[in-house]
């Protein structure tokens, strides 16, 4: 492992240092969720696990997709696919701010030289029926993280409260590494036998997905998928808790939530295709929120959600 | 006596909430202390991003002992009554006293409430204040249920005696135990330290790199910023709101000045300033003004919260980099927008407005622009603008809402419109109108005076008012989500500021008609889509599979609907026939006339209400305004105000008193007679029935007065007209002295009453004097 005293040299080294740091602070280091999501918050390790009374501590990288942000790999900061680093600890520890600042030190930001600020930024996710209070964290005038105390998720009050940290990895890494265009950022060690830049890894996919997102994705198919995911989510949750095959009580919160994630991402794609009007937009968001609520209701009836038989 | 020091130490409090919170802490604590009997000599509150602080001086050491006497039942009252009294008063029978009273001998309970130590009262009050603090938004954290704006970490609460000895107030709120310690600056002095008094606290905080007083932080920032700028021959652009906000983001302000990359210096000053302020909370620094030319913005000042070994070099480099990225975005928007307006004109840019909803019931922004255009054209001749120019300006004034720059910085609406209108080659006051048609925005904002700007500004506001009135979304109480009071005051100030002579009723009716015609049209179009061309529903997809014959029919429907003032009944089963008939039909009565006839007077009354508020602020009495509102032509606000001002001024003079008293005397007698006789005496007074000299003199005086009043009224010289009316007073007084109005002879009586009727009629030409008090 690299020492904290040396500056990281690549994108992946920053990720590895964050993994090591939060692992060392007792978090379960998880892997990305295997579905398309708009932000790390959608990972069930955050959305569902922030509900109920059981303690939780997880950290993970989550690839995130924002179809409308695609710029064919040309914009220095904007990408339709990027990485978030997400930490969720429940209950939020009293020293969460200090822990967070420690993570910045771990990736080479010297607190004595930089100006770190906590600037009011309340978080709200209309699609998840969730909100919290917190800040965006500034380092020398640049937003490097979101810091949120969850108050409500899926329409449920959070008891206890989870503390959530979200790092926009590309932007943070560009700052730490002193890079102006994301595609120029070293992905692996610049002195490796095959040094790869972020552009080597992602420029082509940014182009391909930008084209597909904006002009090609079949809106009729997407609309149908949305309806199907919505119907499937409700159908899963309509099943009785009792599983006749095993004879056990199995509430299918996670499979239902997968459908909610799916519907949410399809909505984002439809939005990027420009086929959702301003008024329809609110209605779609409301439909996804209804799914998120149903899943949250189901999760709190599970063991992990604190349900006691 | 003791001094109390409280510090509530938390994670970062939003800057915008700090000052209010400090005030609330002071008010709620001191109110609570006084209510519990603890008086004090002074209290000061402070706030930083992480602390709310209260210092109370000269607090009583304990609350005074209170003695309460309660009268009970007579000594011979039933046992039950006595027992009830004892329970209620909370005393033993042995503590009762017997005293003589009017009713005989009765029991008295004397209850002593001993004073309580200040510490107990402070603890109780502070806990209550913390648990019920009025944060605009508060939150829970961890496993607790306590609410605060952000997690509350520690409470410092001490009472310092005159001897200097400090005592920690015993208090525990959900596991946070009050103590005598706190922490310094988050990064420069994070260690805990102990304090014994407010002075000790303030001094140690400064040593630990925290400037407690927000005013001092702001002054320090402003002073430093000016000094740095001045040393390079530059000046800081003043921004008090930003200064207060920035002072709330730091505990130890360190002011740094940085450069703006050369490539961005040609961006409009407003863009540089807004981008730097909104995104980065930077102050703008410009070249010193040279003669008329305002200095260009060339630098920025940022305020850090830390002193660093490299004197802010790293911080400044980072900030400069972030700014460059932001300005690169802004420059991209600016250049893109310019390219679009140069290629397609502002009309091209405005095209997308059809897809932007203004209000669900009031259509798109494009619909709104069409209404404003028609109205601006109509207003133009009244304000000295060319109708075509006013219409052109209205057509493009909202185009910048579709620009990328305004998408990013909504507060630059109008400002960008002006730049883009210039770039698109508009001239003759059109670019100015793009910027100024939003004005006046508030009571202090300047009123536009250029004719084209005035026409569009008026049209914009009248359309807004009419629209929300038509859908019954009027302001109620404190709720005014569409800022309609501001729009109404805007109309008033535009009219008065430019001394415009406009009949508002006509304009409000025109605006209503525009709206109703659009409604008719969209009803037809909706039915057309739904019933005639169900597969071609999406307007945005009209290009796909839309054939020319459908297009022609569609256009015919829209054309007819928008140009005609009739609409078919499209709800019933006969819709197709009705639609057919509609094509054949020509002008019919306007179908929404009832709504309009209700909405327009109601809206005019609202404008009058706002005018009253406006005039009251200018010192014109309520009854004077009412007297003028009762007159014909009250939808001409300039005339109305001219009348009100003349009357108001005149009533302050001796002649004013003469006019009013003369009128009242005549009016009182008339009113009594008219009530008794059931007729109105207003016509037919003839000098030939006059019996006495004074009567004849009054006839002559009236004739004389008429000669002066008539031309004065025609010239709207209300002061001269009223002076002539006032001059009637001596003749009228002499008349009342000499003559019994209610004479025996009915002919004489009627003639005299009619004579008074003439006086009343003359006086009422200027205002409804019956409404004037005095």
């Amino acid at each position: 492992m690299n020492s904290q005293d040396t500056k990281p040299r690549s994108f992946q080294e920053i990720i590895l240092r964050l993994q090591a740091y939060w692992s060392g602070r007792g978090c379960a280091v998880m892997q990305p969720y295997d579905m398309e999501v708009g932000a790390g918050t959608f990972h069930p390790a955050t959305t569902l696990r922030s509900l109920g009374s059981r303690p939780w501590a997880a950290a993970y990288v989550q690839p995130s997709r924002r179809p409308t942000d695609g710029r064919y790999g040309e914009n220095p900061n904007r990408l339709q696919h990027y990485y978030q680093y997400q930490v969720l600890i429940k209950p939020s520890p009293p020293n969460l701010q200090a822990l967070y600042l420690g993570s910045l030190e771990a990736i080479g930001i010297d607190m004595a030289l930089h100006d770190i600020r906590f600037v009011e930024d309340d978080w709200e996710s209309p699609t998840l029926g969730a909100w919290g209070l917190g800040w965006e964290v500034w380092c020398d005038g640049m937003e490097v993280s979101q810091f949120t105390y969850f108050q409500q998720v899926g329409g449920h009050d959070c008891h206890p409260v989870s503390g959530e940290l979200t790092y926009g990895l590309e932007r943070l890494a560009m700052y730490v590494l002193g890079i102006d265009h994301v595609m120029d950022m070293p992905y692996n060690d610049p002195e490796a036998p095959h040094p790869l830049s972020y552009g080597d890894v992602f420029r082509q996919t940014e182009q391909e997905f930008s084209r597909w997102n904006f002009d090609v994705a079949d809106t009729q198919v997407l609309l149908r998928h949305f309806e199907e995911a919505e119907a499937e989510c409700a159908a899963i949750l309509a099943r009785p808790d009792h599983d006749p095959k095993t004879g056990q009580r199995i509430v299918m919160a996670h499979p239902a939530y997968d459908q909610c994630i799916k519907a949410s991402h399809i909505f984002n794609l439809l939005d990027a295709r420009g086929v959702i009007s301003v008024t329809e937009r609110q209605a779609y968001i409301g439909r996804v929120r209804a799914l998120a609520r149903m899943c949250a209701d189901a999760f709190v009836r599970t063991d992990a959600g604190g349900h006691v038989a | 006596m003791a001094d109390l020091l409280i510090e509530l130490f938390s994670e970062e409090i939003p800057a915008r909430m700090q000052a209010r919170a400090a005030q609330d802490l002071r008010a709620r604590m001191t109110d609570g202390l006084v209510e519990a009997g603890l008086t004090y000599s002074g209290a000061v509150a402070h706030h930083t991003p992480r602390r709310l602080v209260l210092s109370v001086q000269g607090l009583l050491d304990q609350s005074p002992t209170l003695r309460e006497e309660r009268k009970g039942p007579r000594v011979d009252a039933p046992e039950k009554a006595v027992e009830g009294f004892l329970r209620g008063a909370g005393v033993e029978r042995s503590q009762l006293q017997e005293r003589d009273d009017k009713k005989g001998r009765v029991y008295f309970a004397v209850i002593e409430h001993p004073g309580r130590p200040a510490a107990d009262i402070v603890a109780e009050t502070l806990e209550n204040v913390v648990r019920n603090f009025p944060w605009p938004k508060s939150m829970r954290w961890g496993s607790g249920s306590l609410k605060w704006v952000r997690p509350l970490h520690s409470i410092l609460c001490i009472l310092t005696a005159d001897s200097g000895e400090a005592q920690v107030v015993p208090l525990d709120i959900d596991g946070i135990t009050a103590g005598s310690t706190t922490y310094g600056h988050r990064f420069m002095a994070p260690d805990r330290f102990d304090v014994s008094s407010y002075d000790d606290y303030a001094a140690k905080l400064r040593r630990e790199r925290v400037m407690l007083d927000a005013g001092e932080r702001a002054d320090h920032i402003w002073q430093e910023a000016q000094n740095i700028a001045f040393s390079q021959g530059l000046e800081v652009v003043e921004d008090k709101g930003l200064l207060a906000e920035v002072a709330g983001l730091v505990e130890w302000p360190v002011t740094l000045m940085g450069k703006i990359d050369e490539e961005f210096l040609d961006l409009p000053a407003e863009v540089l300033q807004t981008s730097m302020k909104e995104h980065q909370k930077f102050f703008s620094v410009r070249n010193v003004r040279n003669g008329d030319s305002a200095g260009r913005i060339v630098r920025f000042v940022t305020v850090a919260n830390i002193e660093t070994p490299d004197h802010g070099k790293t911080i400044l480099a980072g900030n400069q980099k972030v700014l460059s990225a932001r300005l690169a975005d802004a420059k991209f928007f600016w250049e893109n927008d310019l390219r679009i307006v140069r290629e397609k004109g502002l009309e091209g840019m405005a095209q997308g407005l059809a897809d932007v909803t203004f209000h669900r019931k009031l259509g798109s922004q494009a619909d709104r622009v069409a209404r404003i255009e028609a109205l601006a054209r109509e207003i133009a001749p009244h304000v000295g603008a060319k109708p075509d120019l006013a219409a052109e300006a209205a057509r493009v004034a909202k185009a910048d809402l579709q620009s990328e720059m305004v998408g990013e910085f909504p507060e630059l609406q109008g400002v960008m419109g002006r730049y883009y209108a210039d770039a698109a080659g508009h001239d003759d006051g059109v670019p100015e109108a793009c910027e100024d048609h939003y004005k006046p925005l508030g009571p202090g904002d300047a009123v536009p005076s250029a004719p084209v700007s005035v026409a569009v500004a008026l049209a914009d506001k009248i359309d807004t008012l009419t629209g929300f009135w038509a859908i019954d979304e009027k302001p109620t109480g404190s709720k005014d989500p569409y800022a309609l009071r501001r729009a109404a005051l805007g109309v008033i100030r535009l009219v008065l500021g430019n001394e415009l002579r406009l009949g508002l009723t006509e304009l409000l009716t025109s605006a209503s008609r525009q709206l109703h015609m659009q409604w008719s049209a969209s009803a037809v179009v909706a039915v057309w889509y739904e019933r005639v061309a169900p597969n071609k529903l999406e307007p945005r997809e009209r290009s796909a599979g839309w054939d020319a014959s459908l297009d022609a029919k569609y256009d015919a429907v829209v054309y007819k609907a928008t140009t005609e003032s009739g609409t078919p009944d499209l709800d019933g089963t006969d819709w197709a026939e009705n639609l057919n008939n509609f094509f054949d039909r020509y002008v019919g009565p306007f179908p929404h006339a009832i709504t309009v006839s209700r909405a327009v007077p109601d809206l005019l009354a609202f404008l009058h209400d706002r005018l009253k508020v406006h005039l009251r602020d200018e010192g014109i009495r309520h009854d004077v305004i009412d007297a003028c509102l009762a007159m014909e032509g009250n939808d001409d606000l300039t005339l109305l105000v001219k009348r009100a001002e003349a009357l108001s001024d005149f009533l302050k003079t001796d002649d004013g008193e003469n006019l009013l008293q003369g009128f009242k005397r005549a009016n009182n007698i008339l009113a009594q007679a008219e009530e008794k006789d059931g007729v109105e005496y207003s016509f037919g007074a003839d000098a030939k029935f006059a019996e006495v000299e004074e009567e004849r003199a009054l006839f002559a005086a009236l004739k004389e007065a008429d000669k002066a009043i008539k031309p004065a009224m025609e010239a709207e010289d209300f002061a001269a007209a009223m002076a002539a009316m006032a001059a009637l007073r001596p003749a009228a007084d002499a008349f009342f002295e000499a003559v019994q109005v209610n004479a025996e002879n009915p002919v004489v009586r009627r003639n005299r009453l009619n004579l008074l009727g003439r006086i009343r009629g003359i006086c009422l030409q200027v205002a409804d004097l019956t409404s004037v008090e005095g």
Side-chain angles (χ1 to χ4, degrees), chain A residues 92 97 117 120 149 158 161, chain B residues 11 16 140 142 186 303:
Chain A
S92 64
Q97 279 187 315
R117 236 71 88 59
E120 179 190 13
Y149 292 100
C158 299
V161 167
Chain B
E11 297 179 11
R16 66 190 170 92
R140 292 172 289 107
R186 184 193 279 287
V303 182

Side-chain angles (χ1 to χ4, degrees), chain B residues 2 5 85 99 136 153 193 236 272 276 295 325 333 343 362 385 448 505 534 544 565 583 671 712 728 751:
Chain B
L5 173 64
F85 175 64
R99 291 188 202 162
H153 280 273
F193 60 92
V236 190
L272 284 174
M276 294 203 291
F333 299 147
E343 281 170 15
L362 298 175
T505 303
S565 45
F583 285 130
L728 289 170
N751 196 51

